[in-house]
Amino acid sequence: MIAASGITRDATMTDAARRDGNVPVPGLPPLSRLSLNSPLALTGPVLVALPCLLAALIGFNTYAPYGADAALGIAVGAAAVVAMAQTLILAARPPLVEPLFGGLDRMYRFHKWLGISAIVLMILHQQIEPDFERLVRETSLGELGEEAGELAFNALLALVAVSWFRRLPFTPLEIPYQIWRFSHRFMGALFAIVVFHQFFVDMPTEVDPSLSVLLNTFGIAGVIAWIFTELVAPYLRRREFTVTEISQTKDTTTLTLRPEGRAMRWRPGQFAFFRAPEAGLSEPHPFTIASAPRPDGTLTFSIRGLGGWTRSMPAILRTGTRVQVEGPYGRFNFRKGGARQIWLAGGIGITPFLAWAESLTEAESRDIHLIYCVPTQEEAIGVETLRAAAARNPRFSFEVVVTTRDGRLTAERLIGAVPFAIRQADLWFCGPTGLKDGILKGLKAQGQTPRRVRFEQFEFT
């Protein structure tokens, strides 16, 4: 999930990604194990894959009379156009589509793999380029379309390489987030050139027009989605807030924001994109909202300094600074869980649990035990919120494990700490991947595998 700590390893990923501590193999995009929160979660991937397969099948069948090479070249090219269009549609963060993937985190994972699939298909299309020169009457517009396709292909190849290899393989070097994001914004412009190529390149006129209708539809939809993302969404989705309070706990900055105008509505556990252009922090970064909804609309972010962007925040932000928040996003919701729950937080991964704890009332009937792991006692944040929740509701309990003092949390210690049977409970996790994997492996060895395990992915870029 996206904890308000971070997806940013150095201004690169945002402070939402690190909650999962996801460190991918250098040079390869991560595709971590999914923890599906809803039966709908597989619907999105299926709906994304089907149009690509349909375009390929229609393309192959339509051009099969012109030979296998021509049919295959058209098939992979058609699938590439549809895949690229869908990457731009998903990048627009359509609210109605997010539940079909089980959350924005997983939707972005498929967005990334769609982009990679599109470029692979474009390479295949380039290598198996159909030759219709003897079958069509060439036009100047068609030649321009062919040249535009070459230009877009090479430029997209370069941009996808930048996106894929943001962390240079086998080295600690990374392309700065600002450069990556700036280059990424050109994807839509290049796709518009691909659409131009698809519209005007010279092709046989006597074939079934179904493929052209399909590609034109997706092409136009992709361009519209890109225009919406770049020019419209920033003004429709961002809400104005003012910083009313700033506090520092070691390397974690906690911000309290007051809405200016209409307040934002969110569920505890969701995240939002935060930016402060007035203070020079114009790049939006996702952070978990570390507070439950309040009558006055104020919200809290707790942001750990993991990179240049987040480390500069305490010195730059001041009370009274105007900031912008876009959201909410995410589907990390303990109320969809069972009657017995274990909440396990590592470091800044405590942020969604702070919002959950604040939302607990005296009437909450679930048995919940929270374990919060931090390296030192000084790094623990929000303990007052947890104490208040425990005072309100005797079914909620928590403990802070200070690893430099108490040692690393193990499955055995977890079993001894939880006041109910783990096999009958749901485990909600937010923190480093190593902690999650170690605990789950240990629980399995002890025959104490939780009923369900819920977590979110946090690398968007």
Side-chain angles (χ1 to χ4, degrees), residues 272-342:
F273 288 83
F274 170 87
R275 66 195 293 264
E278 187 177 289
L281 302 173
S282 58
E283 296 292 340
H285 284 57
F287 303 98
T288 295
I289 303 170
S291 58
R294 299 164 179 167
D296 62 359
T298 60
L299 59 82
T300 299
F301 288 124
S302 290
I303 301 168
R304 188 178 179 191
L306 295 172
W309 198 95
T310 49
R311 289 194 189 104
S312 67
M313 192 176 295
I316 294 175
L317 289 182
R318 298 284 184 272
T319 56
T321 301
R322 297 279 292 238
V323 300
Q324 295 175 342
V325 177
E326 177 193 333
Y329 297 101
R331 303 182 64 77
F332 202 54
N333 185 0
F334 81 95
R335 299 192 186 281
K336 295 182 178 180
R340 294 179 175 177
Q341 300 187 16
I342 304 162

Side-chain angles (χ1 to χ4, degrees), residues 67-366:
D69 286 349
L72 184 58
I74 293 293
V76 295
V81 170
V82 173
M84 194 66 193
Q86 291 185 100
T87 64
L88 297 171
I89 293 170
L90 295 185
R93 302 176 198 152
L96 296 178
V97 174
E98 181 187 344
L100 304 181
F101 289 85
L104 187 66
D105 57 322
R106 291 177 182 85
M107 191 169 85
Y108 266 173
R109 289 297 173 95
F110 285 99
H111 157 84
K112 185 170 187 174
W113 280 98
L114 270 174
I116 293 169
S117 301
I119 200 66
V120 170
L121 291 167
M122 285 183 185
I123 292 172
L124 291 174
H125 176 69
Q126 187 80 356
Q127 297 302 312
I128 321 172
E129 185 176 0
D131 183 8
F132 297 119
E133 289 185 4
R134 299 177 186 176
L135 303 174
V136 300
R137 189 167 68 89
E138 293 188 7
T139 64
S140 56
L141 195 57
E143 290 180 3
L144 180 60
E146 187 172 347
E147 292 173 2
E150 290 282 346
L151 171 65
F153 168 76
N154 292 318
L156 280 169
L157 191 61
L159 289 185
V160 170
V162 168
S163 180
W164 193 349
F165 294 107
R166 236 192 61 241
R167 276 181 294 283
L168 301 182
F170 311 110
T171 76
L173 301 177
E174 297 187 48
I175 297 172
Y177 175 77
Q178 290 82 356
I179 295 176
W180 172 87
R181 189 171 184 276
F182 181 75
S183 67
H184 214 62
R185 297 176 71 175
F186 286 101
M187 289 284 189
L190 293 174
F191 179 70
I193 299 176
V194 171
V195 173
F196 178 85
H197 165 78
Q198 138 68 20
F199 262 82
F200 295 110
V201 69
D202 293 317
M203 299 288 285
T205 56
E206 63 274 11
V207 297
D208 187 325
S210 300
L211 179 63
S212 293
V213 171
L214 178 67
L215 296 184
N216 293 344
T217 301
F218 272 94
I220 293 171
V223 172
I224 291 174
W226 173 67
I227 292 172
F228 175 82
T229 301
E230 295 297 327
L231 302 179
V232 180
Y235 300 98
L236 289 182
R237 292 177 171 174
R238 289 174 185 164
R239 300 176 189 267
E240 299 289 334
F241 283 78
T242 297
V243 178
T244 59
E245 187 179 340
I246 303 176
S247 62
Q248 193 75 20
T249 303
K250 202 149 186 182
D251 59 353
T252 299
T253 303
T254 298
L255 306 174
T256 300
L257 310 180
R258 182 190 69 231
E260 299 296 332
R262 189 163 55 98
M264 187 174 74
R265 300 174 62 183
W266 73 93
R267 294 188 307 272
Q270 290 190 293
F271 65 93
F273 288 83
F274 170 87
R275 66 195 293 264
E278 187 177 289
L281 302 173
S282 58
E283 296 292 340
H285 284 57
F287 303 98
T288 295
I289 303 170
S291 58
R294 299 164 179 167
D296 62 359
T298 60
L299 59 82
T300 299
F301 288 124
S302 290
I303 301 168
R304 188 178 179 191
L306 295 172
W309 198 95
T310 49
R311 289 194 189 104
S312 67
M313 192 176 295
I316 294 175
L317 289 182
R318 298 284 184 272
T319 56
T321 301
R322 297 279 292 238
V323 300
Q324 295 175 342
V325 177
E326 177 193 333
Y329 297 101
R331 303 182 64 77
F332 202 54
N333 185 0
F334 81 95
R335 299 192 186 281
K336 295 182 178 180
R340 294 179 175 177
Q341 300 187 16
I342 304 162
W343 298 354
L344 177 56
I348 196 62
I350 189 63
T351 49
F353 302 119
L354 292 180
W356 288 358
E358 185 179 328
S359 74
L360 293 177
T361 66
E362 298 85 347
E364 178 57 58
S365 60
R366 295 173 179 84

Side-chain angles (χ1 to χ4, degrees), residues 31-35 106 109 436-437 440 453 455 457:
L31 187 62
S32 303
R33 177 177 53 186
L34 298 180
S35 172
R106 291 177 182 85
R109 289 297 173 95
K436 169 176 64 67
D437 292 346
L440 291 179
V453 179
F455 61 96
Q457 313 294 335

